[in-house]
Amino acid sequence: MLFAFVLLDKPGTADLRMRVRPEHKAYLAQRQDHIAFAGPLTHDDGQTMLGSLLVMDFESRDAAHAWLANEPFYKAGLYGSVAVHAFNNLWPQKAGFPAA
């Protein structure tokens, strides 16, 4: 089942995000075959990061939350807001994605 993670950074944590980012990317790479899409949420400038959006496949909600509990940004206290929702991808992805 797909789960969408909407994770918003606490204000003033840009330095923390950059310090922990290599660990975060390595942790994501461990589940790369289960990632539908992932990336930073940004301000309208397209550069300034303000959170993360991940859609990943897990066998259960409990498994999704267990994965999140060990996610480096989460463990470092980066996120001020965390939401995890079951997600059904019902629309063929066309815009913003490379051709398959």
Side-chain angles (χ1 to χ4, degrees):
M1 172 176 258
L2 291 175
F3 288 89
F5 298 78
V6 181
L7 310 161
L8 301 179
D9 298 356
K10 292 176 184 172
T13 56
D15 289 342
L16 175 61
R17 174 178 270 280
M18 295 315 292
R19 270 196 321 274
V20 179
R21 194 168 187 222
E23 292 174 57
H24 163 77
K25 290 176 75 173
Y27 190 68
L28 283 175
Q30 294 173 15
R31 288 198 58 89
Q32 65 187 359
D33 293 340
H34 301 275
I35 297 173
F37 58 89
L41 296 169
T42 65
H43 290 279
D44 289 345
D45 64 8
Q47 300 296 316
T48 307
M49 296 179 202
L50 61 85
S52 299
L53 175 63
L54 313 167
V55 176
M56 301 173 66
D57 185 38
F58 288 93
E59 55 277 1
S60 67
R61 176 174 289 281
D62 288 342
H65 280 278
W67 178 86
L68 180 61
N70 289 304
E71 197 282 323
F73 283 162
Y74 184 85
K75 285 175 52 175
L78 177 71
Y79 300 127
S81 173
V82 173
V84 180
H85 302 282
F87 176 74
N88 289 319
N89 186 13
L90 300 178
W91 197 259
Q93 295 170 335
K94 301 286 184 193
F97 296 90

